[in-house]
Every structure is written in structure tokens, then in C-alpha cells.
Amino acid sequence: MSSFGILSAQPSASTVPEIAKRSNAGSKEKMRATAEDYEAVYLNTMLSQMFTGLPTDGMFHGGAAEETWRGMLVEEYSKSIAKSGALGVADAIYRDMLRIQEAKTQ
């Protein structure tokens, strides 16, 4: 199950400590996955706006079916981009999560 439910669609500096706290990240792998999930939510918000209003009657005539499944397509695009590390948002969040965790242990 994705951890999208714990993440805000609007990233801000104050949400990074909240992500670190809520993820109960005991391992670096789990923290990395949480950071990538956060980036995917952010990308989903941006990409959804890009796809809003696009006609569905183009070359492939997807119509209502294309419109129905578009959200899932955008979600998969978002996950793929986040996983690739192309933007680096997950990297920055992961570093902050590590810093927060290290500060808690000292």
C-alpha cells in the first residue's frame, strides 16, 4: 500500500519534519520510499493540471474511457518520474529526513 494517504499534495518546508515523524522510518529504505512517494504526490498535482482540459477525441478517440483512466495514467507517470530521480525533490526530502532522524538520536 502506498503511503500517499499521509502526504500533503502541497509541499512546504514545514511538512518535511511531519513526513519524517509520520513515516516511523526505521530504515533508510523506508525513508527513501516515503520521500519518493511525496515527490510522486507533488508531481501528480502538477501533471494533473497539465492534463486538465485536454480533449479526448484525438487520433485514438479515447472518449469517456480515456477521460476515466487519465487519473491513473497521470499517477503512474508521477511515480515513474519520482523513481527516476529526474527532479531531485525526493533526494532533498530524504536528506532532510536523515538530518531530522540524526538530530532526534543525539
Side-chain angles (χ1 to χ4, degrees):
M1 182 170 141
S2 173
S3 59
F4 285 153
I6 66 167
L7 303 174
S8 168
Q10 298 295 327
S12 69
S14 64
T15 55
V16 173
E18 191 65 25
I19 293 169
K21 186 183 348 172
R22 287 187 180 181
S23 69
N24 294 324
S27 69
K28 291 182 178 184
E29 294 82 19
K30 187 172 180 179
M31 284 195 301
R32 180 66 194 178
T34 302
E36 284 179 9
D37 281 351
Y38 186 83
E39 182 174 352
V41 169
Y42 177 73
L43 286 165
N44 192 332
T45 301
M46 290 183 4
L47 292 175
S48 293
Q49 293 300 313
M50 290 173 55
F51 279 85
T52 300
L54 287 180
T56 58
D57 60 351
M59 181 188 323
F60 299 108
H61 304 287
E66 181 180 343
E67 190 172 327
T68 300
W69 296 103
R70 184 177 282 170
M72 290 179 70
L73 178 64
V74 169
E75 184 176 340
E76 292 304 314
Y77 284 158
S78 301
K79 289 178 186 177
S80 179
I81 294 169
K83 187 101 176 138
S84 76
L87 295 180
V89 173
D91 293 336
I93 291 172
Y94 177 67
R95 282 191 305 271
D96 282 347
M97 290 172 73
L98 283 174
R99 181 182 49 78
I100 291 166
Q101 186 179 43
E102 288 170 3
K104 287 169 98 176
T105 60
Q106 293 179 356

